[in-house]
């Protein structure tokens, strides 16, 4: 079926970490034309980027000094079209609903003009909209996309996001009732979003299998000194008691944390500062994908020590399949439904169980077990997820086209 996909994204195209939206849209681009409407940068973002631009924000395109629409050749050989829209007025700090909504309409007007011009340049009049975790502009742009099929892709609990705490839940609930279909990334999200739209499907997170399998090293070839690792953001989701217990229970084993540490949050800093003084505990900071592979090659076990609450129940963590693709033994808390992984991972219901699972892997893991984990990860590649999403969009297109 011939139709384009217009992705109104929250994640920015630029960046050096894996984003599910970009992974899925990159896979879709192998099957059909995709217009990726980039993150809506604010005037404040642009001014700051003029003087310092660590995130490589495309300032010239945002300001219109260069063509806003660019085509990018992806690693899979496909082409994706990325649109940088004009800067918007920052409004997330505004608490009063009438003023916020009025300024959102103003921002959306300029966004809509840029998107409609890009669609005209691409000669695209037949498309499906995928709004990626961006319900405010989903609402603001809704009438600009009628009568086309509109879907909402939700990959996290928006109420737990600091930037969206004032208006996110309200706008998301409103937007989900407007769209034709909702797509979520986990069972937890499917359960929490059902009250707002009965048409809902799950496309779970995947893994760049080829990349992370480069970190595969047979246990028999790894160093004798054991290493337990965590990759990902260190924030309020972490059970810090587990991290402390690991370091103390296994003094001859290195505990290595690779990722951003959000210690600008007082509740995180209070927990991470004492860990820094433990001799076998290391915070390595965020790393590029290439550098990350070198760490994974050295790890014996990958851990996911999340606390169990409403926010984490909605997570399908990408790091599970990333660990598995590298052949690592995985120990996770029971923060979310993980039964689909069967015996490929170890799920602990409390701290003592977590420590015991780690101990068993350190003592009894094998090369054969590694191969089984790799096979599991290969089934969950982004390529497979992209095929699933493409099939779902085709079904929606056929359904709503026949109804028209």
């Amino acid at each position: 079926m011939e139709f384009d996909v217009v992705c109104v994204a929250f994640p920015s195209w630029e960046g050096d970490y894996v984003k599910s939206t970009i992974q899925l849209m990159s896979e879709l681009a192998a099957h059909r034309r995709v217009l990726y409407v980039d993150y809506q940068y604010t005037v404040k973002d642009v001014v700051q980027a003029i003087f310092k631009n660590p995130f490589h924000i495309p300032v010239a395109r945002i300001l219109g000094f260069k063509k806003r629409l660019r085509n990018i050749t992806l690693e899979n050989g496909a082409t994706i079209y990325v649109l940088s829209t004009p800067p918007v007025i920052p409004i997330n700090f505004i608490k009063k609903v009438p003023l916020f909504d009025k300024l959102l309409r103003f921002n959306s007007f300029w966004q809509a003009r840029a998107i409609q011009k890009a669609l005209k340049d691409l000669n695209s009049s037949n498309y499906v909209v995928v709004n990626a975790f961006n319900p405010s502009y989903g609402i603001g742009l809704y009438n600009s996309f009628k009568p086309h099929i509109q879907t909402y892709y939700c990959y996290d609990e928006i109420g737990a996001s600091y930037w969206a705490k004032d208006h996110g839940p309200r706008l998301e609930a409103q937007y989900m009732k407007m769209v034709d279909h909702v797509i979520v990334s986990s069972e937890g999200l499917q359960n929490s979003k059902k009250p707002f739209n009965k048409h809902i499907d799950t496309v779970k997170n995947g893994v760049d299998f080829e990349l992370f399998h480069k970190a595969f090293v047979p246990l028999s070839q790894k160093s004798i000194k054991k290493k337990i690792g965590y990759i990902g953001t260190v924030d309020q989701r972490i059970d810090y008691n587990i991290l402390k217990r690991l370091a103390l229970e296994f003094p001859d084993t290195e505990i290595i944390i690779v990722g951003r540490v959000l210690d600008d949050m007082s509740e995180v800093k209070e927990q991470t500062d004492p860990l820094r003084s433990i001799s076998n505990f290391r915070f390595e900071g965020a790393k590029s994908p290439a550098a990350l592979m070198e760490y994974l090659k050295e790890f014996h076990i990958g851990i996911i020590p999340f606390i169990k609450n409403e926010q984490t129940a909605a997570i399908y963590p990408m790091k599970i399949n990333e660990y598995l693709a590298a052949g690592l033994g995985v120990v996770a808390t029971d923060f979310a439904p993980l039964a689909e992984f069967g015996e490929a991972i170890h799920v602990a219901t409390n701290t003592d169980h977590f420590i015991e699972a780690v101990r068993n892997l350190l003592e009894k893991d094998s090369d054969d077990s590694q191969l089984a984990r790799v096979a599991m990860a290969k089934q969950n590649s982004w390529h497979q997820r992209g095929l699933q999403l493409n099939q779902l969009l085709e079904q929606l297109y056929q359904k709503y086209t026949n109804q028209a």
Side-chain angles (χ1 to χ4, degrees):
M1 296 172 211
E2 293 299 322
F3 60 88
D4 297 335
V5 171
V6 178
C7 178
V8 180
F10 178 76
S12 58
W13 182 262
E14 273 71 26
D16 58 0
Y17 64 95
V18 177
K19 305 172 187 179
S20 63
T21 305
I22 289 177
Q23 295 293 324
L24 288 171
M25 292 303 122
S26 296
E27 293 296 336
L28 274 185
H31 303 278
R32 57 188 72 257
R33 195 163 54 167
V34 176
L35 172 63
Y36 190 92
V37 181
D38 206 358
Y39 174 77
Q40 297 76 33
Y41 289 102
T42 67
V43 174
K44 179 182 176 182
D45 294 330
V46 173
V47 171
Q48 290 177 336
I50 290 173
F51 297 98
K52 185 178 181 180
N53 197 357
F55 303 111
H56 308 291
I57 296 172
V59 174
R61 295 184 188 279
I62 293 169
L63 294 177
F65 298 144
K66 294 177 69 175
K67 284 187 64 175
R68 288 199 165 96
L69 183 64
R70 52 184 158 143
N71 59 297
I72 296 173
T73 301
L74 304 170
E75 289 185 4
N76 62 5
T79 298
I80 194 166
Y81 297 87
V82 178
L83 174 66
S84 299
T85 53
V88 298
I89 299 171
I91 59 176
N92 280 341
F93 70 94
I94 297 172
K95 297 188 181 299
K96 293 185 178 180
V97 171
L99 178 58
F100 179 93
D101 289 352
K102 183 175 182 179
L103 290 175
L104 174 61
R105 288 193 293 272
F106 176 83
N107 284 342
S108 299
F109 172 80
W110 297 105
Q111 297 291 297
R113 287 188 60 174
I115 294 169
Q116 287 164 353
K117 182 180 185 305
L119 289 170
K120 184 177 180 180
D121 290 344
L122 292 172
N123 195 27
S124 178
S125 59
N126 186 32
Y127 53 84
V128 173
V129 176
V130 178
N131 178 286
F133 205 56
N134 200 345
S136 57
Y137 284 99
I139 292 171
L141 297 170
Y142 182 78
N143 288 324
S144 300
F145 292 130
K146 290 177 69 175
H148 297 276
I149 301 162
Q150 300 194 43
T151 67
Y152 175 54
Y153 171 49
C154 177
Y155 51 80
D156 205 351
E157 281 293 356
I158 199 165
S161 303
Y162 180 79
W163 56 270
K165 59 184 175 60
D166 292 324
H167 302 283
R170 168 181 71 88
L171 295 170
E172 184 185 70
Q174 181 181 343
Y175 184 55
M176 282 191 291
K177 294 174 182 176
M178 298 166 66
V179 297
D180 300 298
H181 210 85
V182 174
I183 303 166
V184 296
S185 61
S186 71
E187 292 177 28
L189 284 172
Q190 186 169 43
N191 292 332
S192 67
K193 307 309 174 188
K194 275 181 181 177
F196 305 102
N197 193 313
K198 63 181 181 180
H199 305 293
I200 186 166
D201 277 284
T202 301
V203 177
K204 295 179 178 178
N205 289 330
V207 59
D208 185 338
F209 180 81
E210 298 301 328
L211 173 63
F212 281 88
H213 190 52
K214 291 178 181 177
F216 177 82
V217 176
L219 279 170
S220 56
Q221 297 178 24
K222 293 199 176 191
S223 66
I224 296 174
K225 186 174 180 61
K226 301 295 178 67
K227 296 183 179 181
I228 299 169
Y230 169 83
I231 60 172
T233 303
V234 178
D235 54 20
Q236 71 278 11
R237 299 172 301 173
I238 301 293
D239 186 330
Y240 292 96
N241 183 52
I242 287 178
L243 294 183
K244 183 178 180 181
R245 280 282 304 276
L246 285 171
L248 298 178
E249 292 277 349
F250 306 103
D252 297 326
T253 299
E254 288 189 78
I255 316 299
I256 303 171
I257 310 297
V258 184
R260 294 181 301 159
V261 180
L262 302 188
D263 51 11
D264 55 338
M265 301 171 65
S266 59
E267 62 266 38
V268 174
K269 185 174 174 57
E270 288 172 3
Q271 298 287 349
T272 54
D273 279 354
L275 293 173
R276 295 179 191 276
S277 64
I278 302 175
S279 60
N280 61 329
F281 204 101
R282 288 162 44 196
F283 287 99
E284 294 291 292
K287 301 295 178 183
S288 67
L292 183 59
M293 296 309 108
E294 296 306 310
Y295 282 97
L296 289 170
K297 287 177 182 179
E298 297 184 358
F299 291 171
H300 292 75
I301 297 173
I303 59 171
I304 308 179
F306 286 170
I307 60 175
K308 188 175 182 178
N309 60 21
E310 183 180 350
Q311 179 191 7
T312 57
I315 296 173
Y316 181 97
M318 286 185 279
K319 59 179 64 62
I320 288 185
N321 286 306
E322 292 168 353
Y323 290 154
L324 293 176
L328 300 182
V330 179
V331 182
T333 58
D334 60 339
F335 62 90
L338 300 173
E340 69 187 84
F341 292 98
E343 296 182 357
I345 70 171
H346 299 263
V347 180
T349 57
N350 58 49
T351 301
D352 288 338
H353 290 164
F354 197 101
I355 299 300
E356 189 59 30
V358 169
R359 191 184 312 278
N360 287 336
L361 277 172
L362 289 176
E363 294 175 356
K364 302 176 183 178
D365 203 7
S366 67
D367 291 5
D368 288 342
S369 296
Q370 285 185 288
L371 296 177
R373 294 171 196 141
V374 170
M376 170 70 76
K378 196 168 187 178
Q379 296 174 22
N380 298 328
S381 68
W382 282 118
H383 176 68
Q384 293 298 325
R385 302 306 196 212
L387 291 174
Q388 181 186 356
L389 179 58
N390 185 57
Q391 183 179 37
L392 173 58
L393 295 180
E394 284 186 348
Q395 291 170 353
L396 294 177
Y397 181 81
Q398 185 173 22
K399 172 185 174 182
Y400 289 103
T401 302
N402 290 340
Q403 288 179 358

